[in-house]
Amino acid sequence: MSVHAESRGGPGRRRLLRVVLTGTVALAAGLVAGSPRTPDAPVTGGPGRVRPATPRSALVELEAGNARWRTLHERHPDETRIVRQTLVGGQHPFAVVLGCVDSRVPPELVFDQGLGDLLTVRSAGEVLDEAVLGSIAYGVIELGIPLVVVLGHQSCGAVAAAIRAAGGGPPLPGHMQYLVDQIHPAIDRTLSGAARIDAAITANVRLVRARLAAEPELAAKVAAGELAVVGARYELTSQRVRRIH
């Protein structure tokens, strides 16, 4: 399975990140450098399933799941009666996915995962607040999750609404103005129209990822090689998740 990784240089500098399902993964420099080779642990899931216990193996599993999803080879894992009964005793998700509330981008489907596999946190435009930050910290610190993915997506309505409001449109009602204020730093005013929206979607993922990686509790685990915080985009047209650096 492969995902496209976008550099700051734009589409012309995109490169292919190939994942070989034998366990060898070509990751960007520094993603999991120095991470301990902790053996993956049995997961409370379907027969033979293994819980990824490192940033590297967690990313491999998500990339493989997205490949199944976009090629219509979904497995819909961990939905059996046995799994449901086992999960009563506790959960062991292997990745946190901070995604948008958009109904077209449910992380469990996009990554072809099942019950107990992902800790999903969703807010419009992946906007952070205390509840979102606390939920992510819970997954990393209390549940020992080794990977956090900030997942933006093509045609994000929250980003588009923020751009309209920031461009002189009427303020959004109620709590929605908070979304505008949080997304505003991602807007590139040198662009216009669809290009401005698309660039802001990517820039917003980078800003949210950077803020999460700078959180003291998460930063300490990243420095120790126990955690990776990555940014990604889901393309509605291709159904592919690609890395954003």
Side-chain angles (χ1 to χ4, degrees):
M1 197 286 295
S2 62
V3 295
H4 286 90
E6 179 181 294
S7 70
R8 292 184 182 272
R13 293 178 60 86
R14 291 177 185 172
R15 62 185 176 82
L16 190 66
L17 178 64
R18 294 197 174 276
V19 176
V20 181
L21 295 182
T22 57
T24 301
V25 186
L27 294 175
L31 173 61
V32 291
S35 59
R37 294 184 176 275
T38 305
D40 291 340
V43 67
T44 52
R49 289 210 81 195
V50 174
R51 177 188 185 271
T54 66
R56 184 190 302 273
S57 58
L59 188 59
V60 168
E61 176 57 33
L62 291 187
E63 291 171 334
N66 178 243
R68 295 193 300 269
W69 164 256
R70 70 173 186 271
T71 58
L72 303 179
H73 289 89
E74 301 94 325
R75 295 176 182 170
H76 302 292
D78 293 342
E79 297 179 358
T80 65
R81 177 179 296 180
I82 293 175
V83 170
R84 299 180 195 190
Q85 292 173 343
T86 301
L87 288 172
V88 172
Q91 60 170 328
H92 302 282
F94 66 85
V96 175
V97 179
L98 170 59
C100 184
V101 296
D102 195 296
S103 63
R104 300 167 294 179
V105 195
E108 285 83 0
L109 295 184
V110 167
F111 292 114
D112 190 29
Q113 301 299 318
L115 294 172
D117 296 332
L118 304 180
L119 188 76
T120 56
V121 184
R122 302 179 70 174
S123 66
E126 308 85 57
V127 164
L128 298 176
D129 61 16
E130 287 300 306
V132 171
L133 287 168
S135 298
I136 294 171
Y138 170 77
V140 172
I141 297 170
E142 295 297 323
L143 299 181
I145 294 175
L147 178 68
V148 175
V149 178
V150 179
L151 183 65
H153 67 93
Q154 179 185 16
S155 303
C156 181
V159 172
I163 289 174
R164 288 194 298 270
L172 295 181
H175 295 291
M176 287 189 288
Q177 185 60 39
Y178 177 79
L179 304 177
V180 174
D181 296 338
Q182 294 297 306
I183 296 172
H184 187 271
I187 300 173
D188 185 346
R189 295 186 178 277
T190 66
L191 301 174
S192 61
R196 177 181 286 184
I197 295 173
D198 196 67
I201 291 168
T202 298
N204 185 58
V205 169
R206 289 193 179 112
L207 290 173
V208 173
R209 191 214 68 82
R211 182 176 168 188
L212 283 175
E215 287 290 313
E217 296 88 351
L218 305 189
K221 287 187 170 290
V222 170
E226 300 171 358
L227 174 70
V229 183
V230 304
R233 260 185 66 146
Y234 178 65
E235 305 302 330
L236 296 173
T237 49
S238 67
Q239 298 169 42
R240 179 187 296 272
V241 174
R242 57 185 175 85
R243 287 279 310 285
I244 291 176
H245 296 289

